[in-house]
Amino acid sequence: MSIFKKRQNPTTMDTHYFENIAFTCTNNIGILSIRRPNKMNALDAQTLKELADILIHIEEDRDCWGLIITGMGEKAFAAGADISEFYGKSQKEGQEIAQWGQKHVFDKIENFQKPVIAAINGYALGGGLELALACHLRIASKNAEMGFPEVSLGLIPGYGGTQRLPALVGKGKAMEMILTGERISAEDAYQWGLINEVTGINDLVHKTKEKLNRMFLHSRTALSTAIKTIHASTLPNNKGFQIEIENFGKLFSTSEFEEGVAAFLEKRKPRS
Ligand code: CO8
């Protein structure tokens, strides 16, 4: 049985609505939006469960070649985990929640076989910023603000922020962001290497789609292999180099490789 509820509106027939998220796939680009604008798109348990379910579907959807994750409205991408669900939780419960979320949502996105871009349209705080960090690229509108306010709640990031942030901005900047809990602007985030691009609010989705479309000019097998291999760069003992050699070799057996090389030699564009 389908996990989707389809809205009976002919103009949005391809949009699948859950309680707190919506997903649509047009021209091979999936757009997944978090829809709790009254709560700054905070990630409660229901939203995380829905994200976990839809990610499985999107990964299997052959028509969806890449994914954009964004938040509904102009105020927030996601202002973190839903703080109202924290109260009264035990140490064990805290660990279980963090572990479940990391496995089914955040790590799942990071290891996605298709390119995933966060379109950060406003506040990306705490778990919301961790969601963006799990994506392969981040593009933010000028009004976006990013930060890890967890220390103000007596917490630390729990959805991978302490690990993924230093990999992007270095340990020093990561320490500064996490220890002060202060928010930074999209422009600073760009200067720090936290995001890939800054756009106007009205251009955000368009620019993000453009970025994916530029990737779609290339072999999709090469794209997914590149994602996997880049992740291997954090493995111990320089293991990533060996994985690169193996994955490089594997691509020689693909039809996309044959066509890509033939097209170059024949001075024409590759046929998809
Ligand atoms: N959780 C729950 N509700 C939230 C959250 C949140 N993270 N953020 C905003 N809201 C709610 C507000 O409570 C308010 O609800 P209501 O109208 O019912 O009172 C509504 O959204 C609107 O928010 P504000 O009135 O506060 O709007 P402002 O424009 O004044 O401020 C801010 C916007 C700056 C985003 C402000 O809402 C804010 O600071 N939010 C909290 C940000 C935060 O601390 N995020 C980190 C949360 S902790 C976390 O993410 C940990 C991740 C790891 C978890 C690991 C597993 C347990």
Side-chain angles (χ1 to χ4, degrees):
M1 200 179 77
S2 171
I3 52 173
F4 303 123
K5 280 187 248 166
K6 270 198 174 180
R7 191 184 252 189
Q8 297 308 306
N9 173 348
T11 59
T12 55
M13 276 298 278
D14 294 321
T15 303
H16 306 287
Y17 289 89
F18 290 63
E19 211 171 292
N20 295 337
I21 62 170
F23 171 68
T24 185
C25 185
T26 315
N27 298 329
N28 306 118
I29 294 181
I31 300 190
L32 176 52
S33 54
I34 302 159
R35 298 169 67 86
R36 297 187 78 212
N38 297 338
K39 293 288 175 190
M40 296 284 159
N41 296 323
L43 304 168
D44 64 350
Q46 174 68 22
T47 309
L48 289 165
K49 171 77 178 65
E50 291 177 6
L51 285 172
D53 286 347
I54 194 74
L55 287 168
I56 294 170
H57 165 81
I58 299 167
E59 195 149 54
E60 288 166 358
D61 185 342
R62 297 171 68 124
D63 291 331
C64 180
W65 298 355
L67 180 64
I68 296 172
I69 301 182
T70 194
M72 188 184 180
E74 288 189 5
K75 278 196 137 177
F77 172 76
D82 191 312
I83 300 167
S84 66
E85 291 184 341
F86 286 175
Y87 201 68
K89 291 272 192 292
S90 66
Q91 175 180 339
K92 187 165 173 278
E93 287 170 315
Q95 277 179 9
E96 283 169 357
I97 296 167
Q99 191 156 40
W100 190 93
Q102 289 205 14
K103 180 171 175 201
H104 295 281
V105 179
F106 297 79
D107 294 354
K108 176 85 185 166
I109 292 170
E110 180 164 61
N111 295 313
F112 223 59
Q113 300 294 298
K114 308 171 185 194
V116 186
I117 307 185
I120 306 173
N121 54 307
Y123 292 115
L125 304 176
L129 182 51
E130 290 173 302
L131 185 65
L133 289 176
C135 296
H136 304 134
L137 271 74
R138 285 148 291 283
I139 300 181
S141 54
K142 282 185 189 133
N143 63 317
E145 289 185 35
M146 283 149 262
F148 280 110
E150 280 90 341
V151 285
S152 71
L153 302 165
L155 289 172
I156 61 168
Y159 286 141
T162 60
Q163 306 304 299
R164 292 193 179 103
L165 183 66
L168 280 175
V169 303
K171 221 171 174 181
K173 292 285 186 203
M175 286 281 183
E176 187 178 342
M177 277 186 84
I178 292 173
L179 299 187
T180 65
E182 285 168 6
R183 304 199 286 260
I184 62 169
S185 66
E187 198 47 55
D188 282 346
Y190 176 69
Q191 299 298 338
W192 290 15
L194 177 50
I195 60 173
N196 299 80
E197 199 174 323
V198 185
T199 73
I201 178 81
N202 296 324
D203 297 336
L204 178 62
V205 172
H206 173 69
K207 291 271 184 195
T208 312
K209 281 183 181 172
E210 252 181 24
K211 188 77 85 189
L212 278 178
N213 278 325
R214 289 214 293 280
M215 296 178 191
F216 295 165
L217 295 173
H218 311 300
S219 149
R220 294 203 299 287
T221 312
L223 296 181
S224 63
T225 307
I227 292 169
K228 251 189 289 182
T229 313
I230 291 168
H231 287 326
S233 65
T234 54
L235 293 175
N237 305 324
N238 288 331
K239 223 175 143 193
F241 286 93
Q242 187 54 35
I243 290 175
E244 184 185 85
I245 291 165
E246 286 161 20
N247 288 346
F248 179 80
K250 275 186 201 159
L251 290 172
F252 276 68
S253 65
T254 64
S255 53
E256 291 118 307
F257 161 74
E258 265 178 44
E259 170 58 14
V261 173
F264 178 80
L265 296 175
E266 291 162 21
K267 300 192 186 306
R268 60 171 173 82
K269 286 214 157 88
R271 294 180 204 106
S272 53

